[in-house]
């Protein structure tokens, strides 16, 4: 068996050479489940008869597989989907085609500017083409808000709960009404993330320098999250856990600020609460959380054909279609007024949530992330969890976090 | 010598697959990781020489030392009860009055071949803070709930219990093999001399089992130091609340594959190698020491 493995590993027998009599260009596309509709890929094959498209759904840890493939410099696909960790690949921009060179500039105005910029490196190379986005809004339980004497109509909620302070005040009202059995929101990390996502900066400037832990935005996000903890508004239910699902389904959490793709997550986690949820604009402003991109790797021999394919796959019309089939929120605002975006949703009590997220998507502030964003962000949210779950002293944790981030940036 | 080797070339070719595979998948990665430990590399871009900086950073990193401490705590929490239970189970399985022994042996061995990820998910449901089965039991007898996965010791207990569940049967089967190799005549002689069951257990069984105990201690040391999947699935890449479930390998994984410090991850790997080597020697001395 070992011999068989060895032989099949190195291709001793060359494959049949059909390139001589066939002008078809072969392109490989890597994506993950539910990032592109399979029917759309099937249609792409009809649309581009000159392209032999091999679309591969990569399971497991997509990022790790892509990175090891890039490190190995072999077996790379032509086109690859990237998630919002795209900034981690900015130092390796030379491994990707600059999409501006392939004609991306011609269609730039069709896409949300802040989203477009997320795919452009500090040196001005565009390595990621916009796919879906993750505009945020406030998800809340209409019945619980109503019972607690809070506004419950989405428009009223948007008007009255318009700041994090107003949101915290609503939380205290809920806490009092339900005797501490219902919490305002899920966990400290989600509060911190959402306040941060509404700001116009993160931790770094585009030149790579560190803004500092004392930036107004970081301090506001930190202090807001700590205040939510101290007021007892957090259920301490971490996302993607059975505990979170159960708390949502049992009505222990009255609301959370989340990205548009949380609609799907919530519907699957809390089927018993169908019809009771509503969506209003997020307190404190609009933000974005998540979203993906398509890139063309430098190893591709047919970048122009690959770009034409990418451009077609993510055209406004096809993005609209994927909103309907897979709930992927378009990054092309031109389709926001389409009737398909305004359909009523039974899970949200017949509310059409599309326009809420569309409004939000157009107001997301521009923000530069930088390739070290994930490690700094992770240190901070980790420490916040110590405050929320282990009652660590917030001042002590803050000092410790500043120290830890400084150390991180030295290496 | 070469002439003799050439003469037996067919035999060498026949045994070569192991050496080739070992060189490719064993030797090369070991050498490469040593090279990598002195470099800075994000996994994709250029590798730059970093001297001893990775090691310096590791030795001054509080999170690394916390991971070392966590790993040892979890090792103690799991290995002592595990080997104790294994010995008792083996002793019972060896007793002449037990029927269906093969069935029991298979049964005790089963946890060991169960997927760790599945095990971690089940244990996660047992220890969950809200809606966990253990908390349900505590509540139903009127006790206060324990936030297992928020308390540093609770996380360690949860991870250790997974290790105990998974490896007790494995060690029991090994002890059983050891017990079966002790000549029955020794026990008969002891009985004639008037020794009690407890006396013959401590004076005959334990001394005769010493090599087997040494083997299980060393394998549990290596296994315990390399603990990864259990904490990762149970509490995530950051080791859960207060990083209480952060083990050395989980730390290595996070630094390399989440934070992209591959050179640093390699250095941590070598640090771990040294710790395992030292610790194994200490264990060996301790267990050996009793006989002299």
């Amino acid at each position: 068996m070992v011999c068989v493995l060895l032989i099949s590993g190195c291709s001793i027998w060359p494959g049949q050479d059909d390139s001589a009599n066939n002008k078809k260009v072969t392109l490989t596309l890597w994506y993950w489940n539910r990032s592109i509709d399979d029917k759309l890929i099937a249609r792409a094959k009809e649309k581009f008869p000159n392209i032999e498209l091999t679309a591969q759904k990569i399971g497991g840890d997509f990022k790790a597989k892509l990175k090891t493939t890039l490190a190995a410099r072999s077996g790379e696909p032509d086109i690859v989907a990237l998630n919002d960790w795209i900034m981690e690949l900015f130092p390796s921009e030379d491994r990707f085609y600059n999409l501006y060179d392939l004609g991306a500039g011609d269609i730039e105005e069709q896409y949300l500017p802040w989203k477009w910029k997320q795919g452009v490196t500090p040196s001005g190379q565009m390595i990621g083409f916009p796919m879906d986005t993750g505009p945020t809004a406030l998800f809340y339980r209409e019945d619980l808000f109503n019972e607690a004497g809070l506004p419950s109509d989405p428009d009223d909620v948007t008007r009255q709960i318009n700041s994090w302070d107003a949101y915290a005040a609503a939380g205290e009202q809920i806490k009092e009404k339900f005797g501490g059995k219902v919490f305002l929101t899920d966990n400290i990390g989600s509060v911190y993330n959402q306040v941060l996502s509404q700001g116009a900066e993160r931790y770094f400037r585009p030149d790579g320098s560190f803004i500092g832990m004392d930036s107004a935005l970081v301090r506001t996000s930190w202090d807001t999250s700590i205040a939510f903890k101290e007021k007892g508004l957090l259920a301490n239910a971490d996302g993607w856990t059975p505990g979170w699902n159960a708390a949502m389904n049992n009505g222990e959490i009255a609301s959370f600020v989340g990205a548009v793709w949380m609609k799907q997550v919530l519907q699957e986690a809390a089927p018993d609460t169908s019809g009771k949820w509503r969506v209003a604009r997020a307190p404190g402003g609009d933000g974005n959380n998540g979203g993906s991109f398509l890139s063309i790797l430098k190893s591709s021999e047919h970048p122009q054909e690959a770009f034409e394919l990418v451009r077609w796959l993510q055209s406004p019309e096809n993005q609209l279609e994927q909103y309907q089939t897979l709930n992927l929120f378009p990054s092309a605002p031109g389709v926001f007024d389409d009737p398909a975006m305004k359909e009523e949703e039974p899970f949200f009590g017949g509310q059409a949530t599309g326009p809420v997220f569309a409004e939000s998507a157009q107001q997301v502030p521009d923000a530069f992330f930088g390739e070290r964003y994930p490690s700094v962000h992770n240190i901070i949210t980790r420490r916040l969890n110590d405050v929320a779950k282990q009652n660590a002293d917030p001042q002590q944790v803050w000092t410790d976090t500043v120290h830890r981030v400084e150390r991180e940036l030295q290496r | 010598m070469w002439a003799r080797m050439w003469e037996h070339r067919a035999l060498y070719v026949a045994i070569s697959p192991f050496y080739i595979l070992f060189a490719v998948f064993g030797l090369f990665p070991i050498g490469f990781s040593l090279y990598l430990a002195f470099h800075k590399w994000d996994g994709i871009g250029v590798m730059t020489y970093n001297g001893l900086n990775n090691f310096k950073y590791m030795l001054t990193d509080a999170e690394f030392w916390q991971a070392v401490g966590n790993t040892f705590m979890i090792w103690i929490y799991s290995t002592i009860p595990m080997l104790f239970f294994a010995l008792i189970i083996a002793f019972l399985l060896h007793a002449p009055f037990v029927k269906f022994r093969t069935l029991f042996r298979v049964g005790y061995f089963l946890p060991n071949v169960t997927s760790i990820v599945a095990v971690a998910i089940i244990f996660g449901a047992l220890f969950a803070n809200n809606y966990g089965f253990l908390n349900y039991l505590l509540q139903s007898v009127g006790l206060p709930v324990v936030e297992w996965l928020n308390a540093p010791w609770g996380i360690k207990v949860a991870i250790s219990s997974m290790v105990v569940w998974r490896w007790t049967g494995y060690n029991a089967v090994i002890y059983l093999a050891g017990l079966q190799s002790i000549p029955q005549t020794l026990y008969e002689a002891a009985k004639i001399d008037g020794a009690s069951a407890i006396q013959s257990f401590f004076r005959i069984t334990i001394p005769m089992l010493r090599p087997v105990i040494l083997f299980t201690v060393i394998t549990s040391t290596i296994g315990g130091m390399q603990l990864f999947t259990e904490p990762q699935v149970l509490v995530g890449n950051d080791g859960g609340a207060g990083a209480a479930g952060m083990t050395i390998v989980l730390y290595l994984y996070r630094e390399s594959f989440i934070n992209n410090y591959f050179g640093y991850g390699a250095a941590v790997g070598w640090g771990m190698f040294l710790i395992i080597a030292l610790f194994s020697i200490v264990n060996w001395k301790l267990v050996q020491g009793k006989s002299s």
Side-chain angles (χ1 to χ4, degrees), chain B residues 4-17:
Chain B
R4 274 183 65 83
M5 280 180 78
W6 180 247
E7 202 180 306
H8 298 293
R9 60 191 178 275
L11 296 175
Y12 282 106
V13 169
I15 60 164
S16 66

Side-chain angles (χ1 to χ4, degrees), chain A residues 95 135 355:
Chain A
R95 305 293 300 278

Side-chain angles (χ1 to χ4, degrees), chain A residues 2-3 6 61 63-64 67-68 70-71 73 88-89 91-92 95 235-237 243 246-247 250 252 372 375 378 382-383 386 389-390 404 407-408 411, chain B residues 17 20-21 40-45 57-58 60-63 130-131 147 150-152 238 240-244 253-255 257-261 264:
Chain A
V2 167
C3 298
L6 281 177
D61 192 344
K63 183 168 86 174
K67 285 191 173 176
T68 38
L70 283 171
R73 290 180 184 266
E88 286 178 43
L89 294 168
S92 313
R95 305 293 300 278
N236 278 343
N250 296 345
E252 283 173 32
R372 307 193 86 164
S375 51
N378 186 257
R382 217 153 76 204
R383 299 298 153 113
D386 292 351
K389 294 180 181 169
Q390 303 193 309
R404 184 75 188 78
R407 235 179 97 76
E408 173 71 22
R411 42 172 166 172
Chain B
I20 292 169
L21 286 176
K40 194 176 175 173
W41 190 41
D42 68 356
I44 303 169
Y57 191 91
M58 176 175 82
T60 55
D61 192 32
E63 294 190 342
N130 309 314
Y131 312 107
E147 297 217 333
N150 284 349
D238 292 318
Y253 173 81
R254 190 192 70 190
E255 292 300 306
F257 295 97
I258 309 289
N259 293 341
N260 304 322
Y261 297 115
Y264 182 62

Side-chain angles (χ1 to χ4, degrees), chain A residues 150-216:
Chain A
L150 292 166
S152 57
D153 176 71
D155 290 330
D156 296 340
V157 171
T158 300
R159 238 189 324 278
Q160 290 187 42
I161 305 181
N162 57 0
S163 67
W164 286 94
D165 286 340
Y167 184 45
E172 295 201 86
Q173 214 168 316
I174 286 172
K175 192 175 137 190
E176 199 162 309
K177 170 72 193 173
F178 297 99
K181 288 203 171 66
V182 177
F183 295 93
L184 175 67
T185 192
D186 49 2
N187 61 63
I188 199 163
S190 95
V191 174
Y192 179 83
N193 272 336
Q194 296 304 339
V195 183
L196 193 73
S197 81
Q198 296 169 352
E201 58 181 24
R202 291 298 179 268
Y203 309 111
F204 299 93
R205 298 185 189 89
D207 64 6
S209 62
F210 183 51
I211 295 173
M213 290 290 284
D214 272 316
S215 90

Side-chain angles (χ1 to χ4, degrees), chain A residues 276-290:
Chain A
K276 296 175 178 166
W277 290 90
R278 299 289 182 278
V279 173
R281 297 285 285 284
D286 300 299
N288 177 72
N289 195 342

